[in-house]
Amino acid sequence: MRHGEAFPETQDPRRPLTPAGRANVERLARLAAARPIRASAIFHSGILRARQTAEILGTQLAPDIQVQQISGLMPGDDPAIAAAELETAQDSIILVGHLPHMNRLAALLTNGDSDRGVVYFSPASMVCCSRKDSQWTLAWMLTPDST
């Protein structure tokens, strides 16, 4: 998942979610909760807007879900780091990050080439990558405008 819309750095250097960004994340979280989306943990980059997004998502999906910061989700990080986390996960997990990292991660998982895009993460969008055996596929995408 990509974080929701954040304030520009010139307005607030911490770049928290805007009211519209928070509302879109809350809407997406309600849409996700209405689907059979279950995860054992939600990991975020540690940047404020990603942490806020992860916390809102966790509140909607399951109050007892683990929400924590991990390395490998920063905008310029190598997507292979997050891919390795996914490969070793025993249960479904949700990653909350940034562009261009999330685009590159989805591409790496589904076609093996992080530079050959398969999807664009708009703010507050969620993509499900599903693994069967060792093959990842793009299963679905949710945006705040999804019905």
Side-chain angles (χ1 to χ4, degrees):
M1 177 169 183
R2 180 179 171 199
H3 64 79
E5 176 189 80
F7 283 102
E9 190 172 7
T10 55
Q11 192 169 349
D12 186 335
R14 298 174 309 127
R15 304 221 38 225
L17 294 176
T18 64
R22 181 173 290 280
N24 281 337
V25 171
E26 289 170 350
R27 176 163 167 66
L28 183 107
R30 285 191 302 274
L31 290 168
R35 291 176 168 239
I37 297 172
R38 302 295 171 256
S40 62
I42 300 174
F43 298 126
H44 61 84
S45 68
I47 294 176
L48 179 59
R49 57 195 176 272
R51 179 176 54 81
Q52 290 173 323
T53 298
E55 289 169 348
I56 292 167
L57 192 60
T59 299
Q60 290 288 327
L61 290 179
D64 59 340
I65 198 166
Q66 178 185 2
V67 176
Q68 71 179 35
Q69 175 183 342
I70 63 168
S71 60
L73 295 177
M74 299 296 277
D77 283 347
D78 182 346
I81 298 168
E85 181 74 35
L86 292 170
E87 291 289 343
T88 61
Q90 297 298 312
D91 296 314
S92 295
I93 60 174
I94 298 172
L95 303 177
V96 179
H98 313 266
L99 291 184
H101 184 267
M102 297 309 289
N103 292 343
R104 297 185 73 228
L105 175 59
L108 178 64
L109 291 174
T110 59
N111 67 35
D113 183 350
S114 63
D115 294 323
R116 201 176 76 199
V118 295
V119 67
Y120 175 76
F121 285 80
S122 58
S125 61
M126 177 184 279
V127 168
C128 175
C129 292
S130 179
R131 181 178 63 192
K132 184 174 182 183
D133 300 320
S134 62
Q135 181 62 44
W136 287 91
T137 59
L138 188 67
W140 50 259
M141 181 172 194
L142 273 178
T143 69
D145 298 327
S146 298
T147 56

